[in-house]
Amino acid sequence: MKKYVLILLTCLFAISISAQDTKWESLFNGKNLKGWKKLNGKAEYKVKDGVIIGISKFGEPNTFLATEKDYDNFILEFDFKVDDVLNSGVQFRSQSLKSFNNGRVHGYQFEIDPAPRAWTGGIYDEARRGWLYPMTCNPKSQNAFKNNEWNTARIEAIGNSIRTWVNGIPCANLWDDMTPTGFIALQVHAIGNKSEEGKTISWRNIRICTTDLEQNRTPESKAAPEVNAIPNTLSVREAKDGWKLLWDGKTTDGWRGAKLTAFPAKGWVVDKGILKVIKSDGGESTNGGDIVTEHMYKNFMLRVDFKITEGANSGIKYFVNPGLNKGEGSAIGCEYQVLDDLKHPDAKLGVKGNRTLGSLYDLIPAPDNKPYKPNEFNTALIVVKGSHVEHWLNGVKIVEYERNNQMWNALVAYSKFRDWPNFGNAEVGNILLQDHGDEVWFKDIKIKEL
């Protein structure tokens, strides 16, 4: 009797495994490239021993081997191995449209990066917005990739949630809605040196699941910090974690002029989800004037996306006392400098670069090699925990300091703020966006009180 029970259980287990396997579809038959098409470049793809091998070719742009079918919501798994000198990736929810750059492939890319930078598993927006999730957002997972070995990748793209894993380690966690559907494609990246020609990137065991996704998706966790790329919104996770919008993307609710009881009647405009300072005479708070939050904040994480027009100057201030400066000029507070370092003269003033982008203005300089992206939106993060303060730019910490101590007071004594009593030591204050007479754009203004 036990023998028959064992046989029955074995059969039921086999049926269960078979039912699970039917949820997965192989995208590569292991023999040829049926179901795939080459796009953009002329790098070679070949099949050998059940592996797709992409071969770099000098003088060619990025080349893609794309699925003939499009996919929207899915779980994708594949193995990959890459030569050290190459950069590569796997596109998903991607497109090639004649109306977009004459058919150039664009869309989400799972990064394959064997270089010391170690951004494998990050998410790049090919030919559009650039990096959406560099692995500086999740540095503890940068060692998930193994050089010169086969690695296993997993991508879960379900609704606005896009998550990646490398060798079972959570890497990227993105919330975005720009492209809900598109093909999957294997990239052979363009190379800059003839010596790199003939290097390879290989893929195998490429399979996709498009059904019963809620049952098969990986449970939510905080192992990978989330990045929300949808403008002026809160993701489900952000809301759960206590983030709030400081600006709704549509109105001026929650803000007023620093020296007014209402929002300025001129100098600022809301335009398609962007809050813009209007170009005037380049003077400090001489047009619409600074704007401040209606509420004050103590311990917090403040995120602001900003874009600088050519030669522009502005700033994000915190611990602001709007009533302290009753004369001309800007309201007083600690400032995360927003500046075109190359074309605004203020970058060369101050001491050792302490008036450059990302610096604690006139006090502590940001490094020269900060990860600033010209002509694009950049993300400023200001973290305040009691007397400890940090400035971040695009996921990289660039300034860190302690206030309310002797060293801080000595630093202030040698700055332009020396005449303001107890500068920077306030327990609470308003958040401020500065009008310095130049056009600067802001969006995605969020705060999490700690």
Side-chain angles (χ1 to χ4, degrees), residues 258-275:
K259 299 176 182 180
L260 303 171
T261 57
F263 196 86
K266 65 174 184 176
W268 294 81
V269 65
V270 176
D271 181 17
K272 298 178 181 176
I274 299 172
L275 182 60

Side-chain angles (χ1 to χ4, degrees), residues 183-221:
F183 54 68
I184 292 160
L186 314 178
Q187 183 197 57
V188 174
H189 202 283
I191 54 174
N193 298 309
K194 183 72 173 175
S195 63
E196 296 172 353
E197 187 167 70
K199 301 296 183 181
T200 63
I201 166 73
S202 303
W203 299 270
R204 69 183 185 188
N205 299 330
I206 309 169
R207 65 177 194 161
I208 196 167
C209 173
T210 57
T211 60
D212 298 324
L213 294 178
E214 290 302 321
Q215 296 177 17
N216 288 283
R217 72 186 303 173
T218 306
E220 293 285 345
S221 77

Side-chain angles (χ1 to χ4, degrees), residues 19-53:
Q20 289 179 12
D21 287 345
T22 59
K23 295 173 183 175
W24 290 90
E25 171 194 354
S26 178
L27 293 182
F28 168 49
N29 62 22
K31 301 175 183 178
N32 54 48
L33 299 178
K34 184 179 179 181
W36 297 80
K37 58 185 177 182
K38 192 155 70 171
L39 298 171
N40 291 177
K42 295 181 180 179
E44 181 185 357
Y45 293 85
K46 66 180 183 181
V47 176
K48 183 179 179 181
D49 299 329
V51 175
I52 297 177
I53 303 173

Side-chain angles (χ1 to χ4, degrees), residues 19-292:
Q20 289 179 12
D21 287 345
T22 59
K23 295 173 183 175
W24 290 90
E25 171 194 354
S26 178
L27 293 182
F28 168 49
N29 62 22
K31 301 175 183 178
N32 54 48
L33 299 178
K34 184 179 179 181
W36 297 80
K37 58 185 177 182
K38 192 155 70 171
L39 298 171
N40 291 177
K42 295 181 180 179
E44 181 185 357
Y45 293 85
K46 66 180 183 181
V47 176
K48 183 179 179 181
D49 299 329
V51 175
I52 297 177
I53 303 173
I55 306 170
S56 61
K57 187 172 182 179
F58 184 69
E60 287 297 315
N62 293 348
T63 306
F64 302 89
L65 185 68
T67 57
E68 293 176 350
K69 287 179 60 177
D70 285 352
Y71 298 90
D72 45 24
N73 296 313
F74 59 83
I75 300 171
L76 176 70
E77 292 184 346
F78 55 90
D79 297 336
F80 65 96
K81 185 167 70 171
V82 59
D83 285 343
D84 279 344
V85 298
L86 291 186
N87 178 276
S88 183
V90 172
Q91 299 291 134
F92 59 97
R93 287 183 177 173
S94 294
Q95 299 176 340
S96 174
L97 307 171
K98 204 166 185 179
S99 59
F100 184 93
N101 206 354
N102 200 30
R104 182 174 176 181
V105 169
H106 57 282
Y108 303 109
Q109 180 186 118
F110 172 99
E111 174 76 0
I112 298 175
D113 178 20
R117 180 180 68 172
W119 283 8
T120 297
I123 299 175
Y124 183 76
D125 192 0
E126 176 76 13
R128 284 193 307 198
R129 294 171 292 175
W131 280 103
L132 300 176
Y133 200 107
M135 286 306 295
T136 50
C137 296
N138 187 14
K140 68 179 184 296
S141 295
Q142 287 182 263
N143 61 356
F145 169 78
K146 306 301 180 185
N147 287 70
N148 303 307
E149 297 180 23
W150 281 103
N151 294 266
T152 298
R154 181 180 175 98
I155 303 170
E156 296 186 6
I158 303 171
N160 294 338
S161 175
I162 302 172
R163 296 185 291 165
T164 71
W165 289 257
V166 175
N167 298 323
I169 297 174
C171 290
N173 184 359
L174 178 69
W175 185 263
D176 193 49
D177 66 350
M178 180 166 279
T179 308
T181 188
F183 54 68
I184 292 160
L186 314 178
Q187 183 197 57
V188 174
H189 202 283
I191 54 174
N193 298 309
K194 183 72 173 175
S195 63
E196 296 172 353
E197 187 167 70
K199 301 296 183 181
T200 63
I201 166 73
S202 303
W203 299 270
R204 69 183 185 188
N205 299 330
I206 309 169
R207 65 177 194 161
I208 196 167
C209 173
T210 57
T211 60
D212 298 324
L213 294 178
E214 290 302 321
Q215 296 177 17
N216 288 283
R217 72 186 303 173
T218 306
E220 293 285 345
S221 77
K222 295 188 177 181
E226 183 188 71
V227 170
N228 181 359
I230 306 176
N232 307 314
T233 66
L234 292 176
S235 69
V236 174
R237 179 165 165 179
E238 283 177 318
K240 284 182 180 179
D241 287 350
W243 286 92
K244 297 179 181 178
L245 287 176
L246 269 185
W247 182 56
D248 61 16
K250 300 173 184 177
T251 70
T252 59
D253 292 351
W255 294 81
R256 64 175 177 84
K259 299 176 182 180
L260 303 171
T261 57
F263 196 86
K266 65 174 184 176
W268 294 81
V269 65
V270 176
D271 181 17
K272 298 178 181 176
I274 299 172
L275 182 60
K276 297 181 179 181
V277 190
I278 300 301
K279 172 71 175 174
S280 56
D281 60 1
E284 184 179 300
S285 199
T286 57
N287 190 27
D290 303 338
I291 59 172
V292 297

